[in-house]
Amino acid sequence: MESTGFAHWLVVLVETFAVLFLMLLVIAILVVLVTWVIDRNQTHNSVLRNYPVIGHFRYWFLHLGEFFRQYLYSSDREEMPFNRAQRMWVYRAAKNSENTNAFGSTRDLHLEGVPFFVNAAFPSLGETHVKPQPVRIGPYTREPYDHAAFFNISAMSFGALSAPAVRALSIGAAKAGIWMDTGEGGLAPYHLEGGCDIVFEIGTAKYGVRTPDGKLDDQKLLAICAHKQVKMVSIKLGQGAKPGMGGLLPAAKVTPEIAQIRGIPAGQDSQSPNRHLDIANVPQLMDAVRHIRDLTGKPTGFKAVFGGMEWIEEVCDEVSKRGIESAPDFIIVDGSEGGTGAAPQTLMEGVGLPLREALPALVNTLIERGLRDRIKVICSGKCITAYDVAWALSMGADFVNSARGFMLALGCIQSLQCNRNTCPTGITTQNPRLQRGLVVMDKSERVAHYAHNVMHEVGIIAHSCGVDDPRELDRTHCRVMGDDGVSVPLVKLFPYPEMAAEKV
């Protein structure tokens, strides 16, 4: 009797599944037929018009190809913008895992442009790395800033980043003793949460410190700089991924909270002007630096991507006229290889000098004009590993900023969806469901580990080169592989200039 009842229910179950299968089959056939009719009669896509239905597979494969190449087909050193070997180095550094390899490097040391360092014959005993000493920024300000860490968090706005990402960066930065640049999106409470040092960036739209017509609101700026954590103010003239173009925050990311912090309407695309309304030339830039520095008492400088050094020569001329105290306290040079959440491919790939040219050109100009000690140089542009940072210090940078390195430390998998509000790791999205994947306290530890390990390993390189401070690395300590397979000293490629007779 029991077996008969079981057989009956089994028959009913099979019949139910059969009906469901037939229904799904009918629905699938209808979907295919409707898609065929739509594809065949639309006029904007020739592939779908000629190959209805099956033409969609092309676009699915194109989309999935990004992910399959990353995991299955590309070698460790092939991918861009960061290959698997670079990403794995950052991941291990962020997890504070063993970061050693066996059997030999997979890096091709014979490729043109590859840098490597010249070790000293007799490094000092009893040490394996050297530590940086504090550097003073803004000696003529009311509140000069003394900072030792040479590796810091570059400009990334709240809005482009999620709240959990900003919180994790802030807490991790405080643990590591590094600064965090707010980016152009204003100062959010999440920036302050961890207690780290803050560099407040004023973008072309003056988010967070703007009047309704887009001019600088002195009272708002004073209120922001009243926070003891805010140590410096940076005027953003441009960034490497899109020189000559303001930032764009898509409407999907402009939540009421972000709109309130920035001082803009919610739910609308937020496009910054391509330059500051009140800065159209070098004298106006110098006026803006002076005004903000006098108003806030904080070290003030600017960030730019360079197409040449002619206008920096003009800055030096203005300093010569106005006096040494009028000089910007720092310049942030952003290489054209810089990243962003969204930028036109034309600008991202074809405009501006890469960091390897812009950094030595800026440093040499300041040396020649006698301003190198007065103006501190900060650089950014794909410096995510210890030897990238050591190279930048050798070129003459005082500090190195990184954005994407710290994004990788937060768990970024380079899915290339920063501009779509669909970031699978919760870093560059305002979708609460996706943000849930980013656990703040866990990721803040990784941010701190990453910063510590980069600086520690740069200290190892510096010790191996026989210097007592990582900032003592110079162009004599690094060589670069030439096109003939023979390395050339950096100092030969980019010789130090003589100081001009008439210096500032």
Side-chain angles (χ1 to χ4, degrees), residues 455-469:
M455 289 189 284
H456 178 82
E457 296 208 10
V458 172
I460 291 175
I461 292 173
H463 175 264
S464 179
C465 291
V467 297
D468 296 325
D469 187 304

Side-chain angles (χ1 to χ4, degrees), residues 117-308:
F117 294 87
V118 180
N119 58 294
F122 307 103
S124 59
L125 289 172
E127 297 181 35
T128 58
H129 76 288
V130 293
K131 296 180 180 180
Q133 298 302 310
V135 170
R136 171 155 290 195
I137 309 174
Y140 295 94
T141 60
R142 296 194 299 274
E143 299 179 35
Y145 181 38
D146 296 317
H147 190 65
F150 52 79
F151 186 62
N152 299 278
I153 300 175
S154 195
M156 293 183 283
S157 303
F158 172 54
L161 296 188
S162 66
V166 175
R167 292 175 61 211
L169 289 171
S170 176
I171 296 168
K175 292 177 179 178
I178 63 177
W179 76 54
M180 179 184 188
D181 192 315
T182 64
E184 65 178 305
L187 181 70
Y190 312 114
H191 290 116
L192 300 169
E193 182 174 330
C196 67
D197 289 352
I198 297 290
V199 177
F200 179 69
E201 182 177 273
I202 301 176
T204 56
K206 296 182 171 61
Y207 292 130
V209 290
R210 60 185 274 128
T211 61
D213 58 352
K215 296 179 181 177
L216 180 65
D217 187 317
D218 286 355
Q219 296 308 308
K220 289 181 179 178
L221 180 58
L222 277 173
I224 283 174
C225 290
H227 293 284
K228 290 296 184 183
Q229 290 172 237
V230 177
K231 302 297 185 181
M232 301 196 297
V233 179
S234 171
I235 302 171
K236 176 189 170 183
L237 301 181
Q239 66 185 91
K242 45 189 173 185
M245 178 181 179
L248 171 64
L249 190 67
K253 288 188 172 185
V254 187
T255 64
E257 180 184 32
I258 290 167
Q260 188 274 325
I261 290 169
R262 294 193 176 205
I264 56 175
Q268 298 180 20
D269 285 346
S270 180
Q271 176 71 60
S272 303
N274 64 329
R275 69 164 175 82
H276 288 267
L277 303 181
D278 56 343
I279 302 176
N281 51 50
V282 167
Q284 289 180 356
L285 171 61
M286 297 292 288
D287 290 342
V289 169
R290 180 189 60 199
H291 173 73
I292 292 170
R293 181 167 50 210
D294 290 346
L295 178 71
T296 66
K298 311 280 185 177
T300 303
F302 61 85
K303 172 183 175 180
V305 55
F306 294 105

Side-chain angles (χ1 to χ4, degrees), residues 10 14 26 37 39 73 101 104 109-110 119 143 165 175 217 225 227 263 283 305 317 367 370 383 414 462 503:
L10 185 62
V14 170
V26 170
V37 172
D39 289 349
Y73 305 127
N101 291 323
L109 301 179
H110 300 287
N119 58 294
E143 299 179 35
K175 292 177 179 178
D217 187 317
C225 290
H227 293 284
V305 55
D317 290 339
I367 291 174
C383 295
Q414 197 170 279
K503 65 179 182 179

Side-chain angles (χ1 to χ4, degrees), residues 16-38:
T16 302
F17 275 114
V19 171
L20 289 173
F21 175 76
L22 288 173
M23 289 177 61
L24 290 173
L25 185 62
V26 170
I27 292 170
I29 292 172
L30 287 174
V31 168
V32 169
L33 289 173
V34 170
T35 303
W36 191 94
V37 172
I38 293 173

